[in-house]
Every structure is written in C-alpha cells, then in structure tokens.
Amino acid sequence: SARLREVVVAGVVAGLLPGGPYAIYPIIRRVQESGANTPAVLTMLLGYGLIGVGRVPYGLVFFSPAVVGLRLLVAGAATVGVGTALFAIGGALEGRSTVG
C-alpha cells in the first residue's frame, strides 16, 4: 500500500539525515504538522535514532567497516520492521484495514 511505503520511506530517510536532534526534530515536527500520521512520525524518530548515518565516521574509528555495515543493515531492517508494525497497529486502532 502507498501509505505503508510512505511510513517505511520516512523512517529510512530520517536515518539518512545528518545532524543532531536540534536540527532533525524540527524537521520531523514539520512533517507531522504537514499531515504525516503518527506511525510515520514514530518511524522517522526511530530511523533517525537507529540508522544515524551521521555516526558512521565515528563508528569507523572504533570498529571495522564490516561491523559498521552490519549495524546499518540491522538498523535499516529494524526501522522497516517496526515501521510496518506501527502502520498495522495504527490502522487497527483507527478501525480500518491496513492491507491493500
């Protein structure tokens, strides 16, 4: 479904945004004010926290590229999985079908 795709993309895009919370949280808040649903906003916050590509250079100082790459892979998968679950839960709470 298009809305599910939007939730997942929102989380992944937020994970790619550089900057700290003082820069990113206002962006996510603006997206919410523009009409994004709660699952999308939560997935954006989750993606920003888990994926955080801005932390990659710091990770490479301490860990091998393989470890950093695996962290990104797991974080991306977790963001997509939890975003999908949030979308399903949000749909169930709104009393509508999330399938299709």
Side-chain angles (χ1 to χ4, degrees):
S1 125
R3 290 193 56 169
L4 173 59
R5 256 190 316 271
E6 292 166 4
V7 169
V8 170
V9 169
V12 173
V13 168
L16 300 176
L17 294 174
Y22 290 109
I24 303 306
Y25 284 9
I27 293 170
I28 296 173
R29 177 66 178 169
R30 177 64 77 159
V31 170
Q32 181 183 32
E33 290 170 347
S34 296
N37 60 16
T38 300
V41 172
L42 290 174
T43 305
M44 288 184 80
L45 291 168
L46 180 71
Y48 168 71
L50 285 178
I51 299 170
V53 294
R55 294 189 306 270
V56 168
Y58 302 107
L60 290 171
V61 170
F62 295 99
F63 305 105
S64 71
V67 169
V68 173
L70 284 171
R71 181 192 74 79
L72 290 172
L73 183 66
V74 169
T79 299
V80 168
V82 173
T84 301
L86 288 170
F87 180 79
I89 292 167
L93 293 176
E94 291 177 10
R96 61 176 171 74
S97 173
T98 59
V99 179

